[in-house]
């Protein structure tokens, strides 16, 4: 892996998905630090108070309490200095074309990625 981010934030409510994705990110040396949040609500609060300053985010779409799009609405309300993420990837198992289209229209989403994240996908992201 050629690119390496300082802090990668993984937001997903599924423990198994987090475990697998984190292992792939770690083995690819994708980021110096990988932070996992199982709640979008907790993740946005951690960003808001400055506890986490991610330069890349992998965001699940379907989560309880706050879904990925609701997270992005809250992210949009943050001050510019809190919006440290250079890239946000929607990482979802959704096959709904509406979700893919809505992601492509969101100014913060760099790319929609279907789960599971793979080494091949990471290589394509760095190309």
């Amino acid at each position: 892996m050629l690119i390496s981010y300082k802090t990668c934030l993984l937001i997903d409510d599924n423990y198994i998905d987090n475990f697998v994705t984190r292992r792939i990110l770690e083995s690819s040396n994708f980021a110096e630090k990988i932070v996992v949040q199982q709640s979008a609500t907790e993740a946005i609060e951690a960003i808001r108070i400055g506890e986490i300053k991610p330069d890349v985010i992998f965001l699940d779409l379907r989560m309880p309490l706050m879904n990925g799009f609701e997270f992005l609405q809250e992210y949009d309300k943050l001050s510019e200095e809190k919006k440290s993420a250079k890239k946000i990837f929607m990482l979802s198992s959704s096959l709904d074309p509406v979700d893919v289209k809505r992601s492509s229209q969101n100014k913060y989403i760099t790319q929609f990625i279907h789960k599971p994240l793979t080494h091949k996908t990471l290589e394509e992201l760095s190309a």
Side-chain angles (χ1 to χ4, degrees), residues 12-122:
D12 195 325
D13 63 310
N14 186 297
Y15 176 82
I16 300 297
D17 287 346
N18 283 335
F19 179 80
V20 171
T21 303
R22 182 183 195 133
R23 293 293 299 228
I24 290 169
L25 291 168
E26 287 173 343
S27 67
S28 298
N29 294 319
F30 189 77
E32 292 175 28
K33 180 179 178 184
I34 298 168
V35 178
V36 178
Q37 289 280 333
Q38 286 190 263
S39 160
T41 307
E42 291 174 12
I44 198 71
E45 185 57 26
I47 293 170
R48 185 177 287 120
I49 65 172
E51 182 181 309
I52 303 171
K53 295 179 181 172
D55 41 346
V56 64
I57 298 172
F58 285 91
L59 176 63
D60 187 23
L61 177 56
R62 302 193 192 273
M63 296 178 283
L65 302 179
M66 179 185 287
N67 68 36
F69 291 118
E70 291 166 336
F71 170 88
L72 292 168
Q73 288 173 340
E74 292 303 309
Y75 187 82
D76 189 51
K77 295 175 188 175
L78 296 174
S79 64
E80 288 305 313
E81 61 269 8
K82 298 288 183 184
K83 295 178 193 170
S84 58
K86 294 171 185 69
K87 295 186 178 190
I88 300 178
F89 298 104
M90 186 68 80
L91 183 61
S92 179
S93 55
S94 173
L95 298 174
D96 186 344
V98 174
D99 289 338
V100 176
K101 182 177 181 184
R102 190 171 172 199
S103 292
S104 71
Q105 294 172 338
N106 187 289
K107 67 182 178 181
Y108 295 110
I109 299 295
T110 303
Q111 186 174 335
F112 187 99
I113 302 169
H114 290 282
K115 287 182 185 178
L117 185 65
T118 64
H119 288 286
K120 185 177 187 301
T121 303
L122 284 178

